[in-house]
Amino acid sequence: MTKAAGIPVMRCSECNALAIPPQYVCRQCNGSRFESKEMGTSGELYTHTTIRVAPAELKDQAPYRIAIVTLAEGLRVTARLSGSPESPIQIGQKVEFERVDEHGYWFRVA
Amino acid sequence: MNLRSVSIVGIGTTPFGVLEGESLKSLAVSAANSAMADARVNRSAIEALYVGNFISGFLAGQETIAPQIADLLCLRKDLAATTVEGACCSGGIALRHGYFLIASGLADMVLVLGVEKMSHASTAKNTEGLALAMDHDSSEGKTGLTFPGFFALVAQRHMHEFKTTSDQLAMVSVKNHYNSIPNPRARFRNEVSMDDVRASRLIADPLRVYDCCPISDGASAVVLCATERAREFSDKPVEIIGSAQSTGYNSLYNTPKATTLDATVIAGKKAYEMAGITPKDVDVVELHDCFTIAEIVDSEDLGLFSKGRGGFAAAEGKTRVDGPVPINPSGGLLSKGHPVGATGVGQVYEIVRQLRGDHENQVKGAQIGLTHNLGATGQVCTVHIFRRI
C-alpha cells in the first residue's frame, strides 16, 4: 500500500478541515469534495492499549499495541504502534509516523 | 406533539447464561409467553411485535426472525412483526418502536422482545460476530481493535485525566458480581473478590477478564399497553415517561473526547427532559456495563456523577444497592450476562421488577428507574425512564 513520508489525510476543498480517510461528508461544512494532504510525521500519544486477545486472523500478531495519536490541528487517528508491546509508554509521549498498510496507520515511539 | 401515555403491563424472561438445548426461537417463545401470561392478555390482542436481535444471521444462520417468531407464537395475522438491529442496543431500539406505535395512537397493545443465542458458537466465531458492529472501512477497524480494546483506550485516557484506578474498575466488577448472587436470571451468581479481578488475565490493558462481560444466551419480553387501559392487565403498571435515542461516532478518533460517549450524554438529556426529571430523581439504574470502565463512563455521561468522579463513586460504594445511586442491582451485563439482542429488554425487565417492588435485590422504595442501552462503539444509544403508577 502507500508508503508516504508524511501522514496521509484528507482536506476539505471547501473549508480546509482535515479528516482521516474515509470521510465522505465534511464534518465541519458538510461539503463533499476532498483532496489528499500529507501532514508532518510527528504526533502525540492520546491513549493506548495492548491487545492480548486478538481476532482470529490477527492471533499471530498478538500481543500488539493500538493507540490514538493526536496530530496537528487537533486531528486524531487510531493506529498501530510498532516496537515491543511491553516497553513502557506514557500518554503525552511523542510518536513518529511510519507507514500505512492493511492494518491502517503505524507509528513508533519517538 | 400529542403523545399517548404508554405503560408496561407484562414482563417475561429466560435466565441469561449458557442455555444448552435451547434455540433462538425456543428462548424467544418462552420469554414472550411469560410476558403475555404476566399481563393476563390474550395473544389475539397483540397488534405488533418488535424483536431486537443482533447476530442471529451470523451465529444461528437465521434471518427474518420477527415474523417467524410471531408465527410460532400464533399471533394474529394482521400483526406487524419487525426485527430491529442496533448491535448491543437492539433491545432498547425495539422497545422504543413499540413505544412509538402506542404513543401515536396506532395500536393499544404491542409485544417487544429481545433475543440472542450465542453460546453454541466458538469464542472465535462470537468475537468475529461481535466485531461486525465495528466500522470495518475505517482506519480504526483495520488496526485490529477489539471491543475490549476500544473500551481499554477509553479506560487509559480516563485514568490519565481523572486518576481513575484499576482498583476502581475492579470495584465495579466486584459490586456487580455481588449484586447478581440473589438474581436467579444471572449467568454468574458467585462472589468475586478484588484479588480475583486483579489476578485475572489481561485482555486489553488495563482491562482484565473480570472487567469484561460474558457472552450469553437469553431472551426477554415486555407487553406495552396504552396507559388508559393498563389497569385491565396489571395491578402494577409501569409507565414509560422518557424515551430517547441518539447517534454517536463510528470511531473513537472522531469522538471529541475519549472519556465521554456523546451518544449517552445526548440520549440521557433528551430522556430526562421528556420525563421532566433530573438525574437526582432516579432511584435505580440499569446501565450498559459491557466493561467496568463503561459503567464508570456511563454513570458520568448520564449525569449521575460529574465527569471524572464515576470511579471514585464506585469505590466509595455509592452505586451499591443500598447506596444513593444504585447501579445495576441485577448484576448488569458484567455478571447477569450479555445476550446482545436481549440485553436492552432484559434491563427493562429488571427495572419493572424494581418498580413493582418485588426484585430479589430490591432498592427500597424505588419509584423512578432508568435503563441505558449502548450499541457498538457508542454508535447508537437509547435511554428510557420509567415510573411506578
Side-chain angles (χ1 to χ4, degrees), chain B residues 119-170:
Chain B
S119 73
H120 62 287
S122 66
T123 304
K125 182 96 174 164
N126 270 295
T127 307
E128 197 184 340
L130 293 167
L132 293 176
M134 287 203 166
D135 178 359
H136 291 296
D137 296 332
S138 75
S139 58
E140 184 167 288
K142 289 176 185 163
T143 57
L145 188 65
T146 56
F147 272 100
F150 178 92
F151 280 95
L153 291 173
V154 172
Q156 288 284 18
R157 186 71 200 181
H158 203 277
M159 293 163 107
H160 173 78
E161 283 190 32
F162 305 116
K163 299 192 166 33
T164 303
T165 64
S166 286
D167 271 3
Q168 291 175 352
L169 302 186

Coordinates of all heavy atoms in Angstrom, one line a residue, chain B residues 119-170:
Chain B
S119 N -24.0 -19.1 22.8 CA -23.1 -19.9 23.5 C -22.7 -21.2 22.7 O -21.7 -21.9 23.0 CB -23.6 -20.3 24.9 OG -24.6 -21.2 24.8
H120 N -23.6 -21.5 21.7 CA -23.3 -22.7 20.9 C -22.1 -22.5 19.9 O -21.5 -23.4 19.5 CB -24.5 -23.1 20.1 CG -24.9 -22.0 19.1 ND1 -25.5 -20.9 19.5 CD2 -24.8 -21.9 17.8 CE1 -25.8 -20.1 18.5 NE2 -25.3 -20.7 17.4
A121 N -21.8 -21.2 19.7 CA -20.7 -20.9 18.7 C -19.4 -20.8 19.5 O -19.4 -20.4 20.7 CB -21.1 -19.6 18.0
S122 N -18.3 -21.0 18.8 CA -17.0 -20.9 19.4 C -16.7 -19.4 19.8 O -17.4 -18.5 19.3 CB -15.9 -21.3 18.5 OG -15.9 -20.4 17.3
T123 N -15.8 -19.2 20.7 CA -15.4 -17.9 21.1 C -14.9 -17.1 19.9 O -15.2 -15.9 19.7 CB -14.3 -17.9 22.2 OG1 -14.7 -18.7 23.2 CG2 -13.9 -16.5 22.7
A124 N -14.2 -17.7 19.0 CA -13.6 -17.1 17.8 C -14.8 -16.6 16.9 O -14.8 -15.5 16.4 CB -12.7 -18.0 17.0
K125 N -15.8 -17.5 16.8 CA -16.9 -17.1 15.9 C -17.7 -15.9 16.6 O -18.2 -15.0 15.9 CB -17.8 -18.3 15.8 CG -19.1 -18.1 14.9 CD -18.8 -18.6 13.5 CE -20.1 -18.5 12.7 NZ -19.9 -18.6 11.2
N126 N -17.9 -16.0 17.9 CA -18.5 -14.9 18.6 C -17.8 -13.6 18.5 O -18.4 -12.5 18.3 CB -18.7 -15.3 20.1 CG -20.1 -16.0 20.3 OD1 -21.1 -15.4 20.1 ND2 -20.0 -17.2 20.7
T127 N -16.5 -13.7 18.6 CA -15.6 -12.5 18.5 C -15.8 -11.9 17.1 O -16.0 -10.7 17.0 CB -14.1 -12.8 18.8 OG1 -14.1 -13.5 20.0 CG2 -13.3 -11.6 18.8
E128 N -15.8 -12.7 16.1 CA -15.9 -12.3 14.8 C -17.3 -11.7 14.6 O -17.5 -10.6 13.9 CB -15.7 -13.5 13.8 CG -15.5 -13.1 12.4 CD -15.4 -14.4 11.5 OE1 -15.2 -15.5 12.0 OE2 -15.6 -14.2 10.3
G129 N -18.3 -12.3 15.1 CA -19.7 -11.8 15.0 C -19.9 -10.5 15.7 O -20.4 -9.5 15.1
L130 N -19.4 -10.3 16.9 CA -19.5 -9.1 17.6 C -18.8 -8.0 16.9 O -19.2 -6.8 16.8 CB -18.9 -9.2 19.1 CG -19.8 -10.1 20.0 CD1 -19.0 -10.5 21.2 CD2 -21.1 -9.5 20.3
A131 N -17.6 -8.3 16.3 CA -16.8 -7.3 15.6 C -17.5 -6.8 14.3 O -17.1 -5.8 13.8 CB -15.5 -7.9 15.2
L132 N -18.6 -7.5 13.9 CA -19.3 -7.0 12.7 C -20.0 -5.6 13.0 O -20.3 -4.9 12.1 CB -20.5 -8.0 12.4 CG -20.0 -9.3 11.8 CD1 -21.2 -10.2 11.6 CD2 -19.2 -9.2 10.6
A133 N -20.1 -5.2 14.3 CA -20.7 -3.9 14.7 C -19.6 -2.8 14.5 O -20.0 -1.6 14.6 CB -21.2 -4.0 16.1
M134 N -18.4 -3.1 14.3 CA -17.4 -2.1 14.1 C -17.4 -1.6 12.6 O -17.8 -2.3 11.7 CB -16.0 -2.6 14.4 CG -15.8 -2.7 15.9 SD -14.1 -2.7 16.3 CE -14.2 -2.5 18.1
D135 N -17.0 -0.4 12.4 CA -16.9 0.2 11.1 C -15.6 -0.4 10.4 O -14.5 0.1 10.7 CB -16.9 1.7 11.1 CG -16.7 2.3 9.7 OD1 -16.6 1.5 8.7 OD2 -16.7 3.5 9.6
H136 N -15.7 -1.4 9.6 CA -14.6 -2.0 9.0 C -13.9 -1.2 7.9 O -12.8 -1.6 7.5 CB -14.9 -3.4 8.5 CG -15.3 -4.4 9.6 ND1 -14.3 -4.8 10.5 CD2 -16.4 -5.0 10.0 CE1 -14.9 -5.6 11.4 NE2 -16.2 -5.7 11.1
D137 N -14.6 -0.2 7.4 CA -13.9 0.6 6.4 C -13.0 1.6 7.0 O -12.2 2.2 6.4 CB -15.0 1.4 5.6 CG -15.9 0.4 4.8 OD1 -15.4 -0.7 4.5 OD2 -17.0 0.8 4.6
S138 N -13.2 1.9 8.3 CA -12.4 2.9 9.0 C -11.0 2.5 9.2 O -10.7 1.3 9.3 CB -13.1 3.4 10.3 OG -12.8 2.4 11.3
S139 N -10.1 3.4 9.3 CA -8.7 3.1 9.6 C -8.6 2.4 11.0 O -7.8 1.6 11.3 CB -7.8 4.3 9.5 OG -8.2 5.3 10.4
E140 N -9.6 2.8 11.9 CA -9.6 2.2 13.2 C -9.9 0.7 13.2 O -9.3 -0.1 13.8 CB -10.6 2.9 14.1 CG -10.7 2.5 15.5 CD -11.5 3.4 16.4 OE1 -11.0 4.5 16.7 OE2 -12.6 3.1 16.8
G141 N -10.9 0.4 12.3 CA -11.3 -1.0 12.2 C -10.2 -1.9 11.7 O -10.1 -3.1 12.0
K142 N -9.3 -1.3 10.8 CA -8.2 -2.1 10.2 C -7.1 -2.4 11.2 O -6.3 -3.3 11.0 CB -7.6 -1.3 9.1 CG -8.5 -1.2 7.8 CD -7.9 -0.3 6.8 CE -8.9 -0.2 5.6 NZ -8.5 1.0 4.8
T143 N -7.0 -1.7 12.3 CA -5.9 -1.9 13.2 C -6.0 -3.2 14.0 O -5.0 -3.6 14.5 CB -5.8 -0.7 14.3 OG1 -7.1 -0.7 15.0 CG2 -5.6 0.6 13.7
G144 N -7.2 -3.8 14.0 CA -7.3 -5.0 14.8 C -7.8 -4.6 16.2 O -7.6 -5.4 17.2
L145 N -8.5 -3.5 16.3 CA -9.1 -3.1 17.6 C -10.3 -4.0 17.9 O -11.1 -4.2 17.0 CB -9.5 -1.6 17.5 CG -10.0 -1.0 18.8 CD1 -8.8 -0.9 19.8 CD2 -10.5 0.4 18.6
T146 N -10.3 -4.5 19.1 CA -11.4 -5.3 19.5 C -12.4 -4.5 20.4 O -12.0 -3.3 20.7 CB -10.9 -6.5 20.4 OG1 -10.2 -6.0 21.5 CG2 -10.0 -7.4 19.5
F147 N -13.5 -5.0 20.8 CA -14.4 -4.2 21.7 C -13.7 -4.0 23.1 O -13.7 -2.9 23.6 CB -15.8 -4.9 21.9 CG -16.7 -4.4 20.8 CD1 -16.9 -5.2 19.7 CD2 -17.3 -3.1 20.9 CE1 -17.8 -4.7 18.7 CE2 -18.1 -2.7 19.9 CZ -18.3 -3.4 18.8
P148 N -13.1 -5.0 23.7 CA -12.4 -4.7 24.9 C -11.3 -3.7 24.6 O -11.0 -2.8 25.5 CB -11.7 -6.1 25.3 CG -12.6 -7.1 24.6 CD -13.1 -6.5 23.4
G149 N -10.6 -3.7 23.5 CA -9.6 -2.8 23.1 C -10.2 -1.4 23.1 O -9.5 -0.4 23.5
F150 N -11.3 -1.2 22.5 CA -12.0 0.1 22.3 C -12.2 0.7 23.7 O -11.8 1.8 24.0 CB -13.3 0.0 21.6 CG -14.1 1.2 21.5 CD1 -14.0 2.0 20.4 CD2 -14.9 1.6 22.5 CE1 -14.7 3.2 20.3 CE2 -15.7 2.8 22.4 CZ -15.5 3.6 21.3
F151 N -12.7 -0.1 24.7 CA -13.0 0.4 26.0 C -11.7 0.5 26.8 O -11.7 1.3 27.8 CB -14.1 -0.5 26.7 CG -15.5 -0.1 26.2 CD1 -16.1 -0.7 25.2 CD2 -16.1 1.0 26.8 CE1 -17.3 -0.4 24.7 CE2 -17.4 1.4 26.3 CZ -18.0 0.7 25.3
A152 N -10.7 -0.3 26.4 CA -9.4 -0.1 27.1 C -8.8 1.3 26.7 O -8.2 1.9 27.6 CB -8.4 -1.2 26.7
L153 N -9.0 1.7 25.5 CA -8.5 3.0 25.1 C -9.2 4.1 25.9 O -8.6 5.1 26.3 CB -8.7 3.3 23.6 CG -7.9 2.4 22.6 CD1 -8.3 2.7 21.2 CD2 -6.4 2.8 22.7
V154 N -10.5 3.9 26.1 CA -11.3 4.8 26.9 C -10.8 4.8 28.3 O -10.5 5.9 29.0 CB -12.8 4.5 26.9 CG1 -13.6 5.3 27.9 CG2 -13.4 4.6 25.5
A155 N -10.5 3.6 28.9 CA -10.0 3.5 30.3 C -8.7 4.2 30.5 O -8.5 4.9 31.5 CB -10.0 2.0 30.6
Q156 N -7.7 4.0 29.6 CA -6.4 4.5 29.8 C -6.5 6.1 29.8 O -5.8 6.7 30.6 CB -5.5 4.2 28.6 CG -5.0 2.7 28.6 CD -4.0 2.4 29.6 OE1 -3.7 3.1 30.6 NE2 -3.3 1.3 29.5
R157 N -7.3 6.6 28.9 CA -7.4 8.1 28.9 C -8.1 8.6 30.2 O -7.8 9.6 30.7 CB -8.1 8.5 27.6 CG -8.2 10.0 27.4 CD -6.8 10.6 27.1 NE -6.8 12.0 27.3 CZ -5.7 12.8 27.1 NH1 -4.6 12.3 26.6 NH2 -5.7 14.1 27.4
H158 N -9.2 7.9 30.6 CA -9.9 8.2 31.8 C -9.0 8.2 33.0 O -9.0 9.1 33.9 CB -11.1 7.3 32.0 CG -12.2 7.8 32.8 ND1 -12.2 7.8 34.1 CD2 -13.4 8.4 32.4 CE1 -13.3 8.3 34.6 NE2 -14.1 8.7 33.6
M159 N -8.2 7.2 33.1 CA -7.2 7.1 34.2 C -6.2 8.2 34.2 O -5.8 8.7 35.2 CB -6.5 5.7 34.1 CG -7.5 4.5 34.3 SD -6.8 3.0 33.8 CE -6.4 2.2 35.3
H160 N -5.8 8.6 33.0 CA -4.8 9.6 32.8 C -5.4 11.0 33.2 O -4.8 11.7 33.9 CB -4.3 9.7 31.3 CG -3.5 10.8 31.0 ND1 -2.1 10.9 31.4 CD2 -3.7 12.0 30.4 CE1 -1.6 12.0 30.9 NE2 -2.5 12.7 30.4
E161 N -6.6 11.2 32.8 CA -7.2 12.6 33.0 C -7.7 12.7 34.4 O -7.7 13.8 35.0 CB -8.3 12.9 32.0 CG -7.8 13.3 30.7 CD -8.9 13.8 29.7 OE1 -9.9 14.4 30.2 OE2 -8.8 13.6 28.5
F162 N -8.3 11.6 35.0 CA -9.1 11.8 36.2 C -8.5 10.9 37.4 O -9.2 10.8 38.4 CB -10.5 11.4 36.0 CG -11.2 12.2 34.8 CD1 -11.6 11.5 33.7 CD2 -11.3 13.5 34.9 CE1 -12.2 12.3 32.6 CE2 -11.8 14.3 33.9 CZ -12.3 13.6 32.7
K163 N -7.4 10.3 37.2 CA -6.8 9.5 38.2 C -7.6 8.3 38.6 O -7.6 7.8 39.8 CB -6.4 10.3 39.4 CG -5.4 11.4 39.1 CD -4.8 12.1 40.4 CE -3.6 12.9 40.1 NZ -3.5 13.6 38.8
T164 N -8.5 7.9 37.7 CA -9.2 6.6 37.9 C -8.2 5.5 38.0 O -7.2 5.5 37.3 CB -10.2 6.4 36.7 OG1 -11.0 7.6 36.6 CG2 -11.1 5.2 36.9
T165 N -8.5 4.5 38.9 CA -7.5 3.5 39.1 C -8.1 2.1 38.6 O -9.3 1.9 38.5 CB -7.1 3.3 40.6 OG1 -8.3 3.0 41.3 CG2 -6.6 4.7 41.1
S166 N -7.1 1.2 38.4 CA -7.6 -0.2 38.1 C -8.4 -0.8 39.2 O -9.3 -1.6 39.0 CB -6.3 -1.1 37.9 OG -5.8 -0.8 36.6
D167 N -8.1 -0.4 40.5 CA -8.9 -0.9 41.6 C -10.3 -0.4 41.6 O -11.2 -1.1 42.0 CB -8.2 -0.6 42.9 CG -7.2 -1.7 43.3 OD1 -7.0 -2.7 42.6 OD2 -6.6 -1.6 44.4
Q168 N -10.4 0.9 41.1 CA -11.8 1.4 41.0 C -12.6 0.6 39.9 O -13.8 0.3 40.1 CB -11.8 2.9 40.7 CG -11.2 3.8 41.8 CD -11.1 5.2 41.4 OE1 -11.2 5.6 40.2 NE2 -10.8 6.1 42.4
L169 N -11.9 0.3 38.8 CA -12.6 -0.5 37.8 C -13.0 -1.9 38.5 O -14.1 -2.4 38.3 CB -11.7 -0.8 36.6 CG -11.1 0.4 35.8 CD1 -10.4 -0.1 34.6 CD2 -12.2 1.3 35.4
A170 N -12.1 -2.4 39.2 CA -12.3 -3.8 39.8 C -13.5 -3.7 40.8 O -14.3 -4.7 40.9 CB -11.1 -4.2 40.5

